[in-house]
Amino acid sequence: MELGLSYVLKSVVALIVIILAANYGLKYLNTFMIKKNQVIKVIERTPISKSSALSIVEIADTYYLMSFTDTRNEILRELTAVEKEKITSSIEEKRPAGPMNQKKQQTSKKAVQTFKSLRTQYQSFYEKRK
């Protein structure tokens, strides 16, 4: 019985070592796979249903509102300069850089309201399409 217990313990320890080695190896290899200068960035993604989502995507310094479904991905519209400014300011506010002043908080609230209104508009658009 003692021989079987030591075999099980050795197997468990070996399995843990293999899992840790694989984890660190994949993390190391991932550093070579990630591109430093990404041209396409998903800024925010909001699910609409199980199979669809709305996203704000930055492609070469231009912001787009896109819909993603299982079968199609569409650019719904290009965001205006004002909307782009609201989004970039809300991104900067999410970064921990110290206390936010009142003006930045109001800008962030406006950006969230803008995104929510866009989401409700396109959500109703998808419901009408069904």
Side-chain angles (χ1 to χ4, degrees):
M1 179 144 153
E2 194 173 303
L3 182 64
L5 184 61
S6 68
Y7 179 74
V8 170
L9 287 175
K10 286 179 184 178
S11 297
V12 168
V13 169
L15 183 62
I16 291 172
V17 169
I18 291 171
I19 290 172
L20 290 175
N23 188 23
Y24 286 117
L26 289 173
K27 284 183 182 179
Y28 177 72
L29 290 174
N30 194 27
T31 59
F32 296 109
M33 299 299 291
I34 296 174
K35 295 180 182 178
K36 300 296 180 195
N37 298 325
Q38 293 181 349
V39 178
I40 300 173
K41 296 178 186 172
V42 177
I43 304 299
E44 189 164 340
R45 184 179 175 96
T46 303
I48 303 298
S49 68
K50 290 180 186 177
S51 62
S52 66
L54 286 177
S55 294
I56 295 176
V57 179
E58 179 185 6
I59 303 172
D61 293 329
T62 307
Y63 285 72
Y64 297 97
L65 179 65
M66 293 185 67
S67 70
F68 294 95
T69 63
D70 290 341
T71 57
R72 291 173 62 162
N73 299 329
E74 293 181 71
I75 295 177
L76 299 175
R77 71 182 187 97
E78 184 177 335
L79 299 181
T80 64
V82 174
E83 292 168 334
K84 179 181 175 180
E85 181 62 35
K86 288 179 183 178
I87 291 168
T88 54
S89 65
S90 70
I91 291 170
E92 291 171 1
E93 289 175 4
K94 287 181 182 178
R95 294 182 186 145
M100 294 181 2
N101 61 24
Q102 207 170 25
K103 201 176 232 184
K104 284 186 178 181
Q105 287 177 346
Q106 290 173 349
T107 307
S108 175
K109 288 179 184 177
K110 288 180 183 177
V112 169
Q113 288 172 347
T114 303
F115 186 72
K116 284 182 179 178
S117 68
L118 287 171
R119 182 178 63 189
T120 55
Q121 286 175 358
Y122 286 101
Q123 205 169 14
S124 63
F125 171 74
Y126 275 110
E127 289 171 0
K128 289 177 184 175
R129 279 180 77 180
K130 287 182 180 180

Coordinates of all heavy atoms in Angstrom, one line a residue, residues 66-123:
M66 N -19.4 49.2 -34.8 CA -19.5 47.9 -35.6 C -20.4 47.0 -34.9 O -20.6 47.0 -33.7 CB -18.1 47.3 -35.7 CG -17.2 48.0 -36.6 SD -15.6 47.1 -36.9 CE -16.2 45.8 -37.9
S67 N -21.1 46.2 -35.7 CA -21.9 45.1 -35.1 C -21.2 43.8 -35.5 O -20.7 43.6 -36.6 CB -23.3 45.1 -35.7 OG -23.3 44.8 -37.1
F68 N -21.2 42.9 -34.5 CA -20.6 41.6 -34.7 C -21.7 40.5 -34.4 O -22.3 40.5 -33.3 CB -19.5 41.4 -33.7 CG -18.3 42.3 -34.0 CD1 -18.1 43.5 -33.3 CD2 -17.3 41.9 -34.9 CE1 -17.1 44.3 -33.5 CE2 -16.3 42.7 -35.1 CZ -16.1 43.9 -34.5
T69 N -21.9 39.6 -35.3 CA -22.8 38.5 -35.2 C -22.1 37.2 -35.5 O -20.9 37.3 -36.0 CB -24.1 38.6 -36.0 OG1 -23.7 38.6 -37.4 CG2 -24.8 39.9 -35.7
D70 N -22.7 36.1 -35.4 CA -22.1 34.8 -35.8 C -21.8 34.8 -37.3 O -20.9 34.2 -37.7 CB -23.0 33.6 -35.4 CG -23.0 33.5 -33.9 OD1 -22.1 34.0 -33.2 OD2 -24.0 32.8 -33.4
T71 N -22.7 35.4 -38.1 CA -22.6 35.3 -39.5 C -22.0 36.5 -40.2 O -21.4 36.4 -41.3 CB -24.0 35.0 -40.1 OG1 -24.8 36.0 -39.8 CG2 -24.5 33.7 -39.7
R72 N -22.1 37.7 -39.6 CA -21.6 38.9 -40.2 C -21.0 39.8 -39.3 O -21.3 39.9 -38.1 CB -22.8 39.6 -40.9 CG -23.4 39.0 -42.0 CD -24.6 39.7 -42.5 NE -24.4 41.0 -42.9 CZ -25.2 41.8 -43.7 NH1 -26.3 41.2 -44.1 NH2 -24.9 43.0 -44.0
N73 N -20.1 40.6 -39.8 CA -19.5 41.8 -39.1 C -19.6 43.0 -40.0 O -19.2 42.9 -41.1 CB -18.0 41.5 -38.8 CG -17.8 40.3 -37.9 OD1 -18.6 40.0 -37.1 ND2 -16.7 39.6 -38.1
E74 N -20.2 44.0 -39.4 CA -20.5 45.2 -40.2 C -20.0 46.5 -39.6 O -20.1 46.6 -38.4 CB -22.0 45.4 -40.4 CG -22.7 44.3 -41.2 CD -24.2 44.6 -41.4 OE1 -24.5 45.6 -42.1 OE2 -25.0 43.9 -40.7
I75 N -19.6 47.4 -40.4 CA -19.3 48.7 -39.9 C -20.7 49.5 -40.0 O -21.2 49.7 -41.1 CB -18.2 49.5 -40.7 CG1 -16.9 48.7 -40.4 CG2 -18.1 50.9 -40.3 CD1 -15.8 49.3 -41.2
L76 N -21.2 49.9 -38.9 CA -22.5 50.6 -39.0 C -22.4 52.0 -39.3 O -23.1 52.6 -40.1 CB -23.2 50.4 -37.6 CG -23.6 49.0 -37.2 CD1 -24.1 49.0 -35.8 CD2 -24.5 48.4 -38.2
R77 N -21.4 52.7 -38.7 CA -21.1 54.1 -39.1 C -19.7 54.5 -38.5 O -19.2 53.9 -37.6 CB -22.2 55.0 -38.7 CG -22.3 55.3 -37.2 CD -23.5 56.2 -36.9 NE -23.5 56.6 -35.5 CZ -23.0 57.7 -35.1 NH1 -22.4 58.6 -35.9 NH2 -23.1 58.0 -33.8
E78 N -19.2 55.5 -39.1 CA -17.9 56.1 -38.6 C -18.3 57.2 -37.6 O -19.3 57.9 -37.8 CB -17.2 56.8 -39.7 CG -15.9 57.4 -39.3 CD -15.1 57.9 -40.5 OE1 -15.3 57.5 -41.6 OE2 -14.3 58.8 -40.2
L79 N -17.7 57.2 -36.5 CA -18.0 58.1 -35.4 C -17.4 59.5 -35.7 O -16.4 59.6 -36.3 CB -17.4 57.6 -34.0 CG -18.0 56.3 -33.6 CD1 -17.4 55.9 -32.2 CD2 -19.5 56.3 -33.4
T80 N -18.1 60.5 -35.3 CA -17.7 61.9 -35.6 C -16.6 62.3 -34.7 O -16.2 61.6 -33.7 CB -18.9 62.9 -35.3 OG1 -19.2 62.8 -33.9 CG2 -20.1 62.5 -36.2
A81 N -16.0 63.4 -35.0 CA -14.8 63.9 -34.2 C -15.2 64.2 -32.8 O -14.4 63.9 -31.8 CB -14.3 65.2 -34.8
V82 N -16.4 64.7 -32.5 CA -16.9 64.9 -31.2 C -17.0 63.6 -30.4 O -16.6 63.5 -29.2 CB -18.2 65.7 -31.2 CG1 -18.8 65.9 -29.8 CG2 -18.1 67.0 -31.9
E83 N -17.6 62.6 -31.0 CA -17.8 61.3 -30.4 C -16.4 60.7 -30.1 O -16.2 60.1 -29.1 CB -18.7 60.4 -31.2 CG -20.1 60.9 -31.3 CD -20.9 60.1 -32.3 OE1 -20.3 59.6 -33.3 OE2 -22.1 60.1 -32.2
K84 N -15.5 60.8 -31.1 CA -14.2 60.3 -30.9 C -13.5 61.0 -29.7 O -12.8 60.3 -28.9 CB -13.3 60.5 -32.2 CG -11.9 60.0 -32.1 CD -11.2 60.3 -33.4 CE -9.7 59.9 -33.2 NZ -8.9 60.2 -34.4
E85 N -13.6 62.2 -29.6 CA -13.0 63.0 -28.4 C -13.6 62.5 -27.1 O -12.9 62.3 -26.1 CB -13.2 64.5 -28.6 CG -12.6 65.3 -27.5 CD -11.1 65.2 -27.4 OE1 -10.5 65.0 -28.5 OE2 -10.6 65.2 -26.3
K86 N -14.9 62.3 -27.1 CA -15.5 61.8 -25.8 C -15.0 60.4 -25.5 O -14.7 60.1 -24.3 CB -17.1 61.7 -26.0 CG -17.7 63.1 -26.0 CD -19.2 62.9 -26.2 CE -19.9 64.2 -26.3 NZ -21.4 64.1 -26.5
I87 N -14.8 59.6 -26.5 CA -14.4 58.2 -26.2 C -12.9 58.2 -25.8 O -12.6 57.6 -24.8 CB -14.5 57.3 -27.5 CG1 -16.0 57.1 -27.7 CG2 -13.8 56.0 -27.3 CD1 -16.3 56.5 -29.1
T88 N -12.1 59.0 -26.4 CA -10.7 59.0 -26.0 C -10.5 59.6 -24.6 O -9.7 59.2 -23.8 CB -9.8 59.8 -27.0 OG1 -10.4 61.1 -27.2 CG2 -9.7 59.1 -28.3
S89 N -11.3 60.6 -24.3 CA -11.2 61.2 -22.9 C -11.7 60.2 -21.9 O -11.1 60.1 -20.8 CB -12.0 62.5 -22.8 OG -13.4 62.3 -23.0
S90 N -12.7 59.4 -22.2 CA -13.2 58.4 -21.3 C -12.1 57.3 -21.1 O -12.0 56.7 -20.0 CB -14.5 57.8 -21.7 OG -14.4 57.0 -22.8
I91 N -11.4 57.0 -22.1 CA -10.3 56.0 -22.0 C -9.2 56.5 -21.1 O -8.7 55.8 -20.3 CB -9.8 55.6 -23.4 CG1 -10.8 54.9 -24.2 CG2 -8.5 54.8 -23.3 CD1 -10.4 54.7 -25.7
E92 N -8.9 57.7 -21.3 CA -7.8 58.3 -20.5 C -8.2 58.4 -19.0 O -7.4 58.2 -18.1 CB -7.5 59.7 -21.0 CG -6.8 59.7 -22.3 CD -6.6 61.1 -22.9 OE1 -7.0 62.1 -22.2 OE2 -6.1 61.2 -24.0
E93 N -9.5 58.6 -18.7 CA -10.0 58.6 -17.4 C -10.0 57.3 -16.7 O -9.9 57.2 -15.5 CB -11.4 59.2 -17.3 CG -11.4 60.7 -17.6 CD -12.8 61.2 -17.7 OE1 -13.8 60.5 -17.5 OE2 -13.0 62.4 -18.1
K94 N -10.1 56.2 -17.5 CA -10.1 54.9 -16.9 C -8.7 54.5 -16.4 O -8.6 53.7 -15.5 CB -10.6 53.8 -18.0 CG -12.1 53.9 -18.2 CD -12.5 52.9 -19.2 CE -14.0 53.0 -19.5 NZ -14.4 52.0 -20.5
R95 N -7.7 55.1 -17.0 CA -6.4 54.8 -16.5 C -6.1 55.4 -15.1 O -6.5 56.6 -14.9 CB -5.3 55.4 -17.5 CG -5.4 54.8 -18.8 CD -4.3 55.3 -19.7 NE -4.5 54.8 -21.1 CZ -4.3 55.5 -22.2 NH1 -3.9 56.7 -22.1 NH2 -4.4 54.9 -23.3
P96 N -5.6 54.7 -14.2 CA -5.3 55.2 -12.9 C -4.2 56.2 -12.9 O -3.0 55.9 -12.9 CB -5.0 54.0 -12.1 CG -4.5 53.0 -13.0 CD -5.2 53.3 -14.3
A97 N -4.5 57.5 -13.0 CA -3.5 58.6 -13.0 C -3.8 59.6 -11.9 O -3.3 60.7 -12.0 CB -3.6 59.3 -14.4
G98 N -4.5 59.2 -10.9 CA -4.7 60.2 -9.8 C -6.2 60.6 -9.8 O -7.0 60.1 -10.5
P99 N -6.5 61.5 -8.9 CA -7.9 61.9 -8.8 C -8.4 62.7 -10.0 O -7.7 63.5 -10.6 CB -7.9 62.9 -7.6 CG -6.5 63.3 -7.4 CD -5.6 62.2 -8.0
M100 N -9.7 62.4 -10.4 CA -10.3 63.0 -11.6 C -11.0 64.3 -11.1 O -11.6 64.3 -10.1 CB -11.3 62.1 -12.2 CG -10.7 60.9 -12.8 SD -11.8 59.7 -13.6 CE -13.4 60.3 -13.5
N101 N -10.8 65.3 -11.9 CA -11.6 66.6 -11.6 C -13.0 66.5 -12.1 O -13.4 65.6 -12.8 CB -10.8 67.8 -12.1 CG -10.7 67.8 -13.6 OD1 -11.4 67.2 -14.3 ND2 -9.7 68.5 -14.1
Q102 N -13.8 67.5 -11.7 CA -15.2 67.4 -12.0 C -15.5 67.5 -13.5 O -16.4 66.8 -14.0 CB -15.9 68.6 -11.3 CG -17.3 68.3 -10.9 CD -17.8 69.4 -10.0 OE1 -17.3 70.5 -10.0 NE2 -18.9 69.1 -9.2
K103 N -14.7 68.3 -14.2 CA -15.0 68.4 -15.7 C -14.7 67.1 -16.4 O -15.5 66.7 -17.3 CB -14.0 69.5 -16.2 CG -14.4 70.1 -17.5 CD -13.5 71.2 -17.9 CE -14.3 72.4 -18.2 NZ -13.4 73.5 -18.7
K104 N -13.7 66.3 -16.0 CA -13.4 65.1 -16.6 C -14.5 64.1 -16.3 O -14.9 63.2 -17.1 CB -12.1 64.5 -16.2 CG -10.9 65.2 -16.8 CD -9.6 64.5 -16.4 CE -8.5 65.1 -17.1 NZ -7.2 64.4 -16.8
Q105 N -15.1 64.1 -15.1 CA -16.2 63.2 -14.7 C -17.4 63.5 -15.6 O -18.1 62.6 -16.0 CB -16.5 63.4 -13.2 CG -15.4 62.8 -12.3 CD -15.7 63.0 -10.9 OE1 -16.6 63.8 -10.5 NE2 -15.0 62.3 -10.0
Q106 N -17.7 64.8 -15.8 CA -18.8 65.1 -16.6 C -18.6 64.6 -18.1 O -19.6 64.1 -18.7 CB -19.1 66.6 -16.6 CG -19.6 67.1 -15.3 CD -19.6 68.7 -15.2 OE1 -19.1 69.3 -16.1 NE2 -20.3 69.2 -14.2
T107 N -17.4 64.8 -18.6 CA -17.1 64.3 -19.9 C -17.3 62.8 -20.0 O -17.9 62.3 -21.0 CB -15.7 64.7 -20.3 OG1 -15.5 66.1 -20.1 CG2 -15.4 64.4 -21.8
S108 N -16.8 62.1 -19.0 CA -17.0 60.7 -19.0 C -18.5 60.3 -18.9 O -18.9 59.3 -19.6 CB -16.3 60.1 -17.7 OG -16.5 58.7 -17.7
K109 N -19.3 61.0 -18.1 CA -20.7 60.7 -18.1 C -21.4 60.9 -19.4 O -22.2 60.1 -19.9 CB -21.4 61.5 -17.0 CG -21.0 61.0 -15.6 CD -21.7 61.9 -14.6 CE -21.3 61.5 -13.1 NZ -21.9 62.4 -12.1
K110 N -20.9 62.0 -20.1 CA -21.5 62.2 -21.4 C -21.1 61.2 -22.4 O -21.9 60.7 -23.3 CB -21.0 63.6 -21.9 CG -21.7 64.8 -21.2 CD -21.1 66.1 -21.7 CE -21.7 67.2 -21.0 NZ -21.1 68.5 -21.4
A111 N -19.9 60.7 -22.4 CA -19.4 59.6 -23.3 C -20.2 58.3 -23.0 O -20.6 57.6 -24.0 CB -17.9 59.4 -23.1
V112 N -20.5 58.0 -21.8 CA -21.2 56.8 -21.4 C -22.7 57.0 -21.9 O -23.2 56.0 -22.5 CB -21.2 56.6 -19.9 CG1 -22.2 55.5 -19.5 CG2 -19.8 56.2 -19.5
Q113 N -23.2 58.2 -21.7 CA -24.6 58.4 -22.2 C -24.7 58.3 -23.7 O -25.6 57.7 -24.2 CB -25.1 59.8 -21.7 CG -25.4 59.9 -20.2 CD -25.6 61.3 -19.8 OE1 -25.4 62.2 -20.5 NE2 -26.1 61.4 -18.6
T114 N -23.7 58.8 -24.4 CA -23.6 58.7 -25.9 C -23.6 57.3 -26.3 O -24.3 56.9 -27.2 CB -22.4 59.5 -26.4 OG1 -22.5 60.8 -26.0 CG2 -22.4 59.5 -27.9
F115 N -22.7 56.5 -25.7 CA -22.6 55.1 -26.1 C -23.9 54.3 -25.8 O -24.4 53.5 -26.5 CB -21.5 54.4 -25.3 CG -21.2 53.0 -25.8 CD1 -20.7 52.7 -27.1 CD2 -21.6 51.9 -25.0 CE1 -20.5 51.5 -27.5 CE2 -21.4 50.6 -25.4 CZ -20.9 50.4 -26.7
K116 N -24.5 54.6 -24.6 CA -25.8 54.0 -24.3 C -26.9 54.3 -25.3 O -27.7 53.5 -25.6 CB -26.2 54.4 -22.8 CG -25.4 53.6 -21.8 CD -25.9 54.0 -20.4 CE -25.1 53.3 -19.3 NZ -25.5 53.6 -18.0
S117 N -26.9 55.6 -25.7 CA -28.0 56.0 -26.7 C -27.7 55.3 -28.0 O -28.7 54.9 -28.7 CB -28.0 57.5 -26.8 OG -26.9 58.0 -27.4
L118 N -26.5 55.2 -28.4 CA -26.1 54.5 -29.7 C -26.5 53.0 -29.5 O -27.1 52.5 -30.5 CB -24.7 54.6 -30.0 CG -24.2 56.0 -30.4 CD1 -22.6 56.0 -30.5 CD2 -24.7 56.3 -31.8
R119 N -26.3 52.5 -28.4 CA -26.6 51.0 -28.2 C -28.1 50.8 -28.3 O -28.5 49.9 -28.9 CB -26.0 50.6 -26.8 CG -26.3 49.1 -26.6 CD -25.7 48.7 -25.3 NE -26.4 49.4 -24.2 CZ -26.0 49.3 -22.9 NH1 -24.9 48.7 -22.6 NH2 -26.6 50.0 -22.0
T120 N -28.9 51.7 -27.6 CA -30.3 51.5 -27.6 C -30.9 51.7 -29.1 O -31.8 51.0 -29.5 CB -31.0 52.4 -26.7 OG1 -30.7 53.8 -26.9 CG2 -30.7 52.1 -25.2
Q121 N -30.3 52.7 -29.8 CA -30.8 52.9 -31.2 C -30.5 51.6 -32.0 O -31.4 51.2 -32.7 CB -30.0 54.0 -31.8 CG -30.4 55.4 -31.3 CD -29.6 56.5 -31.9 OE1 -28.6 56.2 -32.7 NE2 -29.8 57.7 -31.6
Y122 N -29.3 51.1 -31.9 CA -29.0 49.9 -32.8 C -29.6 48.6 -32.2 O -29.9 47.7 -33.0 CB -27.5 49.8 -33.0 CG -27.0 50.9 -33.9 CD1 -26.4 52.0 -33.5 CD2 -27.3 50.8 -35.3 CE1 -26.0 53.0 -34.4 CE2 -26.9 51.7 -36.2 CZ -26.3 52.9 -35.7 OH -25.9 53.8 -36.6
Q123 N -29.9 48.6 -31.0 CA -30.6 47.4 -30.4 C -32.0 47.4 -30.9 O -32.5 46.3 -31.4 CB -30.6 47.5 -28.9 CG -30.7 46.2 -28.2 CD -30.4 46.4 -26.7 OE1 -30.4 47.5 -26.1 NE2 -30.2 45.3 -26.0

